[in-house]
Amino acid sequence: MKADIIIPTVENVFIAVVQEWSDDFMEKVWFAYLVNDSDFDLEGVMVVSKAFGTINGEMKKTSLLRHAYLEVPAVSVVKIEMIEKSVLALNNEFMLTFFMGGKLYDRKFIFKTNSINEDFVEEVPILFVDGVIVR
């Protein structure tokens, strides 16, 4: 019965983290973006984020943050949230769920511990700025 279930693969949709200047904090901070580099609109988009891991031998986790978007047009980006610098030492997980062409898609994107830093940047499609990408 499980063999009959077709799970569609998420392609050309990913999460990128970009460092930007913040007037509120008077320093550069990291922001997470949902990048839709596909030719299709995403509908009923839901992003759930959390951070988890071990710091100094103690298990840490953040609360869940939920973001909903009615539509993310083809070849566009949406700013999801700021990532506080204290959680960069944790795994940062983004669970993405959306409808495309009447089918439900979902995918988990995980930025591993300390992977959000300037050593791992590459050019982010559509934004054309340097950032860390999880595909």
Side-chain angles (χ1 to χ4, degrees), residues 45-60:
V45 180
M46 181 74 130
V47 180
V48 179
S49 65
K50 68 178 179 179
F52 60 92
T54 306
I55 297 178
N56 297 329
E58 187 178 341
M59 186 65 180
K60 302 278 187 181

Side-chain angles (χ1 to χ4, degrees), residues 29-105:
V29 294
W30 293 95
F31 286 94
Y33 283 87
L34 169 59
V35 180
N36 180 7
D37 198 17
S38 73
D39 297 330
F40 305 99
D41 295 344
L42 311 181
E43 299 170 343
V45 180
M46 181 74 130
V47 180
V48 179
S49 65
K50 68 178 179 179
F52 60 92
T54 306
I55 297 178
N56 297 329
E58 187 178 341
M59 186 65 180
K60 302 278 187 181
K61 66 178 182 175
T62 64
S63 58
L64 294 176
L65 296 177
R66 295 172 181 88
H67 308 276
Y69 309 97
L70 291 177
E71 182 177 64
V72 177
V75 191
S76 69
V77 297
V78 173
K79 187 182 275 189
I80 301 171
E81 66 188 37
M82 184 189 93
I83 300 177
E84 214 283 319
K85 74 174 131 180
S86 65
V87 301
L88 296 177
L90 301 171
N91 295 304
N92 286 271
E93 177 182 291
F94 294 84
M95 185 65 194
L96 171 66
T97 305
F98 61 91
F99 286 94
M100 183 169 55
K103 289 185 181 178
L104 179 66
Y105 291 78

